[in-house]
Amino acid sequence: MELLKEALELENMKMSNMSTSDRVVASRAAKRLILEINEIYKETKDPELMDIMKRLTEKKKKIEKRLKGRPAA
Protein backbone atom coordinates (compact mmCIF):
# COMPACT_ATOMS: atom_id res chain seq x y z
CA MET A 1 0.00 0.00 0.00
CA GLU A 2 1.26 3.41 -0.98
CA LEU A 3 -0.24 5.03 2.13
CA LEU A 4 1.73 2.85 4.53
CA LYS A 5 4.94 3.41 2.60
CA GLU A 6 4.41 7.18 2.74
CA ALA A 7 3.60 6.96 6.46
CA LEU A 8 6.83 5.09 7.18
CA GLU A 9 8.83 7.65 5.19
CA LEU A 10 7.32 10.47 7.22
CA GLU A 11 7.91 8.61 10.46
CA ASN A 12 11.59 8.03 9.65
CA MET A 13 12.20 11.58 8.42
CA LYS A 14 14.87 13.54 10.30
CA MET A 15 13.67 16.68 12.06
CA SER A 16 17.04 18.36 12.35
CA ASN A 17 17.83 21.12 9.85
CA MET A 18 14.18 21.54 8.86
CA SER A 19 12.98 25.02 8.01
CA THR A 20 9.71 26.31 9.41
CA SER A 21 7.97 25.80 6.09
CA ASP A 22 9.28 22.21 5.98
CA ARG A 23 7.80 21.63 9.41
CA VAL A 24 4.44 23.02 8.33
CA VAL A 25 4.41 20.77 5.27
CA ALA A 26 5.39 17.74 7.37
CA SER A 27 2.68 18.50 9.93
CA ARG A 28 0.02 18.79 7.24
CA ALA A 29 1.23 15.59 5.57
CA ALA A 30 1.05 13.75 8.89
CA LYS A 31 -2.49 14.96 9.49
CA ARG A 32 -3.57 13.90 6.00
CA LEU A 33 -2.01 10.45 6.41
CA ILE A 34 -3.57 9.94 9.83
CA LEU A 35 -7.03 10.78 8.50
CA GLU A 36 -6.65 8.57 5.43
CA ILE A 37 -5.36 5.62 7.46
CA ASN A 38 -8.21 6.16 9.91
CA GLU A 39 -10.76 5.71 7.11
CA ILE A 40 -9.20 2.35 6.25
CA TYR A 41 -8.99 1.43 9.94
CA LYS A 42 -12.73 2.03 10.40
CA GLU A 43 -13.44 -0.70 7.85
CA THR A 44 -10.74 -3.25 8.74
CA LYS A 45 -10.08 -2.70 12.49
CA ASP A 46 -6.46 -3.76 11.86
CA PRO A 47 -4.41 -3.11 15.05
CA GLU A 48 -1.29 -2.49 12.94
CA LEU A 49 -2.99 0.52 11.37
CA MET A 50 -3.80 1.87 14.82
CA ASP A 51 -0.14 1.55 15.81
CA ILE A 52 0.93 3.45 12.69
CA MET A 53 -1.58 6.21 13.44
CA LYS A 54 -0.31 6.49 17.01
CA ARG A 55 3.31 6.79 15.88
CA LEU A 56 2.39 9.41 13.27
CA THR A 57 0.46 11.36 15.89
CA GLU A 58 3.51 11.42 18.16
CA LYS A 59 5.71 12.65 15.30
CA LYS A 60 3.12 15.31 14.43
CA LYS A 61 3.00 16.49 18.05
CA LYS A 62 6.80 16.84 18.14
CA ILE A 63 6.77 18.85 14.92
CA GLU A 64 3.98 21.12 16.14
CA LYS A 65 5.66 21.61 19.51
CA ARG A 66 8.75 22.84 17.66
CA LEU A 67 6.64 25.11 15.44
CA LYS A 68 4.97 26.80 18.40
CA GLY A 69 8.23 27.39 20.22
CA ARG A 70 8.63 28.35 23.85
CA PRO A 71 6.12 30.65 25.50
CA ALA A 72 7.43 34.08 26.39
CA ALA A 73 8.16 34.29 30.11
Side-chain angles (χ1 to χ4, degrees):
M1 290 177 96
E2 188 66 29
L3 256 176
L4 298 180
K5 186 177 178 183
E6 193 176 341
L8 290 176
E9 286 177 12
L10 183 78
E11 186 180 342
N12 294 326
M13 185 174 56
K14 301 283 186 202
M15 283 182 39
S16 61
N17 299 328
M18 286 179 88
S19 67
T20 301
S21 61
D22 290 341
R23 291 181 202 284
V24 170
V25 169
S27 177
R28 289 179 182 164
K31 181 178 180 178
R32 178 184 56 81
L33 285 169
I34 291 166
L35 292 175
E36 289 179 15
I37 293 171
N38 189 39
E39 290 301 317
I40 298 169
Y41 175 78
K42 286 179 187 178
E43 298 170 6
T44 63
K45 302 294 185 199
D46 183 4
E48 186 177 325
L49 292 177
M50 180 57 79
D51 291 338
I52 292 170
M53 287 191 296
K54 286 179 181 178
R55 292 193 310 258
L56 284 176
T57 301
E58 285 300 315
K59 182 81 168 185
K60 183 176 177 290
K61 284 181 182 179
K62 287 180 184 179
I63 293 169
E64 289 179 350
K65 180 190 271 188
R66 182 64 188 253
L67 275 173
K68 291 180 183 174
R70 294 185 192 169

